[in-house]
Amino acid sequence: MGEAFEWGRMEDEDDLLDEMENDLRDLNLDLERTITTGLKTAEEIERLTVDEKLNDVDRALYLLSSGQDVQRISVVRDLAKLIRENQVEGMRKVVPKVREVLHLSCQELQEAATVAFVQIAEDKSIPPQLYAQTFLQTILQNIDSRDPDISESWLSVLLQVIKFLPKEIIKRDILSIAIAKGQLNQSVQSRLASCQIIGKVATRFDSFMIKKDVLPLVTALCQDVDYEVRACMCKELAVVARGLGLEPTQSAILPELVELSNDEESCVRLSALETIVNLLSLLDDETCNQTIIPLVCKYCDNAMQNKDVTLPSIAKQFGKLCHGLSVNLTEEQKIWSLNYYRDLCIFGLHEKPTPEEAMPEPPTAVSSSSESLDITEESPRIQALYKEEERQRECRHQSAFNLPCMVLFAGAKNFKSELHSSFASLCDDPEEQVRISLAKGFHEVSKLLGSSVHIIQGEFINILRDDSLEVVAALVSHLPETCEAFIKGFAKNDSKQDNCFSDVIPALLSAESRAAASRNWRLHSDILDKFSCLAKCLTSDQIYHKFVPVVFHCITSHKPLPVHLAACRTICVFIKYNRKQEQRQELCSQLIEECRNHQSSRYRRLFLDVCVYLMEVFSKSFFNEHFFEKVLELAEDPIANVRLRCCTLLPMLKTQLKLPKDRQLLQQLDLVVRKLLVMEKDRDVTAAIRQAACDMDKVQVAVQSLTAKQYFEEDFLDQKKEEEERSLLQAEEKEKERTANPVPSSAKSTSSERRRTDTKTDKMERTIGSASSTTSNTTRKASRLKAVSSTGRKTSASPTGPPSHTANRAASKSMKSKKPESSHLNDSHSNATTPTRIPSKANSSAGKKSPLETNNNKPSAIRRRAGSDGLLAAVSMRYSPQATTDRLKKKETSSPSSTEVRRASAGNVTHDKKSPLQPRRVSGGTLESTRKSSSADVTRKPSGGSIPQPRMTKTSSLRSSTHNTTPKVRRAAKP
């Protein structure tokens, strides 16, 4: 039984094959015949042939007169170019022929002429008067064509040309035609054309001319019997009002606008609403408060009560209305606006059918003819139902589009109470287009909310988990802006952003997995590309453990090339912004292992493509350290395509080198090029390596110089990348120190108190040092006066010059006389905790108070000495064992090594740590001269600032005080 069944099925298949062969024979297909019939005959070829000796003008005339339609169309399309090159001959011979051909030409030739006429007007290759005499007359004649398509095309040409014509020509040739076409005895098409022409003409005339010549026609067309004319003229009222000004608009335009907003036709009311929105920036506050706001409220209430067909347009314009009238609205009106918007967001979702509609009709036995009749009668009701659903969906769609504007209108503080419920309703809308519209503006809403952005985090997760990939694609298109807004909002809200944003991670991974499972590789590549923004939003551990395995899986799996490239770019960004050196090393090695060392040549070529992006993201030193040699190894790959791609990267590799640091890499690069030039056998690779060698000869290798003038923009960009990488390393070290040495709360409070104490001590030291320098200057003045009185000679010293020898001798004698006392003071200061003020001999002997002392006769513990004794006291206090220990603890990390100081003093040049390639010179010259220049103040640093001063001993302090310059302001000392 089974064998008979199989035999019968085989016979049926044979019969089908025979029938197919018979059908093919009936078609009588002859391939050669179809090819020969598609060719042109000799006569047709001869007819299409043009003499090559003819110039452009003669050829155009020949084709327009005796050519076919295809040739005429080509001539008309090139008419603007022909007039630019041969203006005189073209205008005298070709243009009249074109105007003659247009009368009886086809529609395609007419459309080509419209494009050419507009292009000639835009080029301004001929004077406006000449254009009006030739081309404008042709345009005005063709506007009255019987074919509505041709007439509409030439009308659009006229509307585009008006802005290039002078006012005199517009008033003489165009305005008169617009007035003639706007009369009631003309057709509806003519009156519609008149409305559009008036709108364009009003932009070129002044207020007086519009009021005199245009405004009467505008008023007549606003009251036209045909609703299409009224609607068309209503759309042009905004342009006419801007040309008139505020006062004529209030008296002439606004009454017509109010009347049109109450028109019985819905299209006229829609035009009136659009005109109101466009006029808001022109009207003043009084007009808005008294006329526009009551008109808008009445219009919207009537539309909502009647469920008018204009509701979608109201929803579309509602955001602009609220934003434009926000300054003039009262609190009650703002509440009404927000309530109305909430009703638009749920319009059609919670409506229940009436009891009559919900009650089913009783079944009746009717004939088939009556059933067909009933279906025919019910069909208009079904069509109306579909239109109603579309209108409701369009209302919600436009409401979702206007949501950012309404958030700006309500304010971020009132979002949760006023708009969050509507926002959640739009996110869960059953219509896909509504959710797509909301997802496209989600980033704008998140920016406007600021610190309150955490309110919409749940909706953000729901949209990422949406069933429709189109909704996910709309949200992913602006994912970096959305994530940035969330991070900034969490930071302003003083919340833990890592913990808050970590809830989004499963939703992001779910969106990627669903995109990978679908056939939409464009969405998948877009998601992987946008994942790169997460490097600045999440921690390194979260990215390393959550996203890196997913991205590497996309690289290793067989996916389209754009997906591979997007995944590799994201991995590069993850490597750059990872704060853990171990993870960075593992990611680099994994990228090399998965792509560079892969068995398939496809992934090895992918690695070379990724290297181009690596050069853009990372610094030259980082790329040379991790990837340079790996790229050179692929020059010996057994697959020719891999070697071919590698040859194109060789000039780029040379730009990454910097001498003398990368001299060895440069030698390896030259060796690879020479080896390929000698041993390569593939023809394409040989040509590529020769071209690469020529390009490499043009590349100049950067040399690390001592002057910053030789650096280019690329060097500064590379230096900026190095600084970013260095800052990441420093951040990693700080994190390790924090984890290794956690500071308790009590220790933190103690350290803060120590900082305050150290700050007060430093201020006291600076005050004592400055006072000591002042008193030393006073002592030197006194010694100079004594020297003058003893020798009987007057010494002259400039205010800024060095002290005289006599003054130096006197100062040295006074110091020798005070040396035992200073040693005693040093011992006392080393044992005491607070500095003491000791009165100077000069002031005590004279019986006067020191300018820095409150009372010299009162023995106080905080009295400062004048002259060299005060300086010794300050130095001894500053360099006491306790102060030295505290200062060493503070400057332990910032002080340079002795080797660096010796190098700086020998070469007189220091290098900044942040920019090692750019040297800086100490402004004071040599280190010794810098030390001398700082003698006035012990704690002052050189102006260069890069080399810290070594600690000065007591002897050096005394030496600097004796050689100090004379102060600029001198006072005569009393003998």
Side-chain angles (χ1 to χ4, degrees), residues 275-318:
T275 305
I276 290 172
V277 173
N278 296 329
L279 280 177
L280 289 179
S281 59
L282 176 66
L283 303 176
D284 57 352
D285 295 339
E286 184 180 358
T287 306
C288 291
N289 292 329
Q290 296 180 0
T291 307
I292 301 300
I293 293 177
L295 180 63
V296 170
C297 294
K298 181 181 177 182
Y299 184 91
C300 295
D301 286 335
N302 293 336
M304 182 62 74
Q305 290 177 3
N306 301 327
K307 296 182 181 179
D308 198 356
V309 294
T310 60
L311 275 177
S313 297
I314 293 176
K316 182 179 180 180
Q317 304 293 338
F318 199 76

Side-chain angles (χ1 to χ4, degrees), residues 103-259:
H103 289 291
L104 301 174
S105 60
C106 59
Q107 184 176 357
E108 189 175 358
L109 183 59
Q110 297 273 352
E111 293 177 356
T114 57
V115 176
F117 282 23
V118 174
Q119 189 174 0
I120 293 170
E122 291 176 351
D123 294 341
K124 297 181 181 180
S125 55
I126 60 176
Q129 299 291 340
L130 185 58
Y131 188 90
Q133 294 175 4
T134 55
F135 297 102
L136 183 58
Q137 300 302 323
T138 305
I139 294 171
L140 295 175
Q141 291 174 5
N142 291 323
I143 286 176
D144 298 328
S145 177
R146 295 181 179 179
D147 190 348
D149 296 333
I150 296 176
S151 177
E152 186 177 356
S153 299
W154 285 105
L155 179 60
S156 64
V157 173
L158 178 62
L159 298 178
Q160 296 179 49
V161 166
I162 285 175
K163 60 183 178 181
F164 300 107
L165 298 176
K167 297 180 181 179
E168 295 79 10
I169 296 176
I170 295 174
K171 184 177 180 181
R172 183 190 64 200
D173 297 336
I174 300 177
L175 183 59
S176 58
I177 293 178
I179 294 174
K181 286 181 173 293
Q183 303 302 320
L184 287 175
N185 56 359
Q186 297 291 327
S187 62
V188 175
Q189 185 178 358
S190 298
R191 300 202 298 273
L192 291 174
S194 176
C195 296
Q196 298 180 35
I197 294 173
I198 287 174
K200 286 294 181 180
V201 165
T203 59
R204 300 300 310 279
F205 290 164
D206 55 2
S207 178
F208 177 76
M209 191 176 296
I210 294 174
K211 190 174 182 179
K212 179 182 177 182
D213 300 330
V214 179
L215 190 57
L217 182 60
V218 170
T219 305
L221 292 174
C222 287
Q223 298 175 0
D224 196 274
V225 294
D226 192 86
Y227 70 93
E228 294 181 359
V229 178
R230 296 197 303 272
C232 185
M233 192 64 247
C234 186
K235 292 180 181 179
E236 305 296 336
L237 285 180
V239 181
V240 177
R242 293 186 182 279
L244 282 172
L246 179 58
E247 294 181 0
T249 299
Q250 292 176 349
S251 60
I253 301 299
L254 282 182
E256 298 294 336
L257 189 59
V258 172
E259 186 177 353

Side-chain angles (χ1 to χ4, degrees), residues 480-520:
E481 294 93 329
T482 307
C483 294
E484 183 180 0
F486 270 98
I487 296 302
K488 289 182 179 179
F490 292 150
K492 292 179 181 179
N493 201 21
D494 298 333
S495 60
K496 297 181 180 180
Q497 58 184 17
D498 297 337
N499 297 333
C500 292
F501 201 75
S502 60
D503 299 335
V504 186
I505 295 177
L508 290 171
L509 296 176
S510 175
E512 189 276 333
S513 62
R514 287 188 292 114
S518 66
R519 296 182 179 180
N520 193 351

Side-chain angles (χ1 to χ4, degrees), residues 643-669:
R643 300 197 304 273
L644 181 64
R645 184 69 181 98
C646 183
C647 290
T648 59
L649 293 181
L650 295 179
M652 300 178 65
L653 292 178
K654 191 174 180 180
T655 59
Q656 300 294 312
L657 301 178
K658 188 179 296 184
L659 296 178
K661 179 182 179 181
D662 300 327
R663 186 181 300 275
Q664 186 177 0
L665 296 178
L666 180 60
Q667 293 176 358
Q668 295 180 10
L669 180 61

